[in-house]
Amino acid sequence: MPIKNRFSELQPEIAAWRQDLHAHPELLFDTHRTAGLVAERLAAFGCDEVVTGIGRTGVVGVIKGRSDTSGHVVGLRADMDALPIPEETGVDYASTVPGKMHACGHDGHTAMLLGAAKYLCETRNFDGTAVVIFQPAEEGGGGGREMCEDGLMNRFGIQEVYGMHNWPGIETGKFAIRPGAFFAATDIFEIEIEGKGGHAAFPHQTIDPTVIASHIVLAGQSIASRNADPVEQVVMSITSFETSSHAYNVIPQTVKLKGTARTMSTAMRDLVEERLTKIVEGTAENFGATGRINYIRNYPVTVNHPAQTEFAAEVATKVAGDCADAELVMGGEDFAFMLEERPGAYILMGNGASARLHHPEYNFDDDAIPAGCSWWAEIVEQRMPAA
């Protein structure tokens, strides 16, 4: 079962869709143009039902097979949003929106799932129902969570759900996957240290929050090096350090820090929050200042279910010849919310030697389209074989 010939025929058309989406990137839930085009095409393909507004701007298409003796319903999900990054690819179809670009390949994901939907509507060579899910706001907005909270799984009777992400560094059109924890939980935090500001020439008359915050930045690294089991995965990064004064001769009154913690288990997630809170409050108190932290649990760990992962890998092997064992990824993925509600699997598909994800020179490789479309279509046809 190699790449389906139909997708080789459709590749130029799907690539044109992808390049149009690339030229018109939209952020978070503001995917109105993208969602409109998706809904319009799904209706034109002949989907049995097209629903908009799930998770604010999400779109869902329902495709019934030739028969439905199994009563099985499989969901396929693609993300639609772009990133707030100025594009530097130089391609003819580069972003027409200043400061925004498809730097993560969601344009490719959307186009490939549209291609799969077109094929499934044409053939309907399966026994059951396929539900194609086009999700907004993967890049930090939690669109997957909002679609689930809108009743996605129950409303459409979804029993299993599958997702895909392109991956630079893997040969174009090849696949990689792993069971269990795959992508990290991605928590964020804001810290405020309030001391006593004053003249920089008289530090003894102040309580300097920059010194206190610096101690917190360094002490935070001890969570990974001295609190976590060495075989556990944890990353704690302070990414923003902002003082209330930008003058050369003023010790500020407050310092604000921002950062992110990445973990692969609930226990480690709990440990990081507990230790970081104690470090912030205790360090500030020791210096006579006040420390406050707002720790926000964002995306959970993306956990692939064993049986569905094995099946997804089998399909990938049939499409591409093999399927590699993927490494753990400390990046986050809000497909995790869907996998918490239903069994399923998330797979990586190669994007070749492109720039890395979230880089201004990144571009999705249109040569990957036939493989990606074939994988999604075969997930449906193999999971729900025609009666």
Side-chain angles (χ1 to χ4, degrees):
M1 187 204 311
I3 288 170
K4 290 182 176 293
N5 291 335
R6 181 59 174 144
F7 291 123
S8 296
E9 297 169 359
L10 287 172
Q11 195 271 349
E13 181 180 5
I14 298 170
W17 300 342
R18 201 280 298 183
Q19 292 173 17
D20 175 71
L21 293 172
H22 189 92
H24 301 90
E26 297 175 303
L27 305 183
L28 296 172
F29 292 99
D30 190 27
T31 53
H32 300 289
R33 180 185 185 274
T34 304
L37 289 174
V38 166
E40 180 181 314
R41 290 202 174 97
L42 291 177
F45 298 159
C47 281
D48 297 280
E49 185 179 4
V50 179
V51 181
T52 60
I54 306 292
R56 301 199 218 178
T57 48
V59 181
V60 175
V62 177
I63 307 168
K64 296 184 181 297
R66 291 181 186 174
S67 58
D68 189 16
T69 62
S70 69
H72 206 63
V73 182
V74 171
L76 310 175
R77 173 270 203 176
D79 35 21
M80 300 187 292
D81 58 321
L83 284 157
I85 298 175
E87 181 162 353
E88 297 178 10
T89 62
V91 296
D92 294 340
Y93 50 87
S95 171
T96 59
V97 185
K100 300 178 186 179
M101 73 168 290
H102 271 290
C104 203
H106 297 185
D107 50 344
H109 304 163
T110 297
M112 287 190 297
L113 188 53
L114 282 173
K118 180 171 183 174
Y119 166 85
L120 292 170
C121 284
E122 289 175 350
T123 59
R124 299 184 184 263
N125 189 33
F126 56 96
D127 179 52
T129 302
V131 178
V132 288
I133 304 162
F134 295 85
Q135 180 208 304
E138 190 282 324
E139 298 290 358
R145 173 176 51 213
E146 297 227 6
M147 292 191 83
C148 288
E149 289 177 352
D150 261 1
L152 171 68
M153 299 301 173
N154 290 334
R155 178 171 178 177
F156 297 98
I158 297 169
Q159 298 164 346
E160 298 181 42
V161 64
Y162 295 86
M164 177 201 305
H165 205 294
N166 78 93
W167 207 252
I170 298 175
E171 183 181 346
T172 298
K174 296 291 187 178
F175 295 88
I177 199 170
R178 65 180 297 124
F182 194 176
F183 281 63
T186 57
D187 298 335
I188 58 176
F189 53 83
E190 299 173 345
I191 298 167
E192 182 176 81
I193 306 302
E194 184 171 2
K196 180 181 178 182
H199 199 297
F202 307 101
H204 59 291
Q205 296 175 357
T206 73
I207 300 174
D208 190 345
T210 60
V211 173
I212 301 166
S214 298
H215 277 274
I216 290 170
V217 171
L218 294 175
Q221 299 308 309
S222 70
I223 296 173
S225 65
R226 289 298 177 265
N227 299 132
D229 186 323
V231 301
E232 293 279 357
Q233 291 79 27
V234 56
V235 176
M236 210 287 292
S237 298
I238 302 290
T239 57
S240 175
F241 193 117
E242 181 182 2
T243 61
S244 59
S245 170
H246 297 160
Y248 289 103
N249 60 349
V250 175
I251 290 174
Q253 181 80 6
T254 60
V255 170
K256 294 182 179 180
L257 306 175
K258 293 181 181 179
T260 181
R262 308 297 175 101
T263 54
M264 281 290 181
S265 71
T266 300
M268 188 55 56
R269 205 176 189 186
D270 293 341
L271 174 66
V272 171
E273 181 176 4
E274 177 187 355
R275 289 296 304 134
L276 186 57
T277 299
K278 289 182 177 179
I279 287 170
V280 169
E281 295 175 351
T283 304
E285 182 180 3
N286 286 340
F287 281 94
T290 301
R292 294 178 289 271
I293 181 170
N294 180 26
Y295 192 97
I296 302 168
R297 297 207 172 197
N298 200 16
Y299 296 175
V301 179
T302 302
V303 180
N304 274 344
H305 297 249
Q308 286 72 25
T309 301
E310 182 179 358
F311 169 66
E314 289 173 356
V315 172
T317 299
K318 291 174 181 176
V319 169
D322 61 7
C323 183
D325 295 328
E327 297 180 354
L328 290 169
V329 178
M330 297 309 289
E333 171 53 62
D334 81 342
F335 187 63
F337 292 108
M338 297 187 185
L339 290 176
E340 285 188 333
E341 294 215 354
R342 294 293 187 273
Y346 196 64
I347 198 167
L348 304 181
M349 183 192 67
N351 200 59
S354 70
R356 305 303 298 180
L357 302 175
H358 293 212
H359 190 279
E361 295 180 2
Y362 166 86
N363 192 22
F364 180 83
D365 186 350
D366 288 331
D367 288 341
I369 286 172
C373 292
S374 293
W375 183 81
W376 259 320
E378 290 296 343
I379 287 289
V380 171
E381 293 184 348
Q382 295 301 310
R383 202 56 164 171
M384 303 182 290

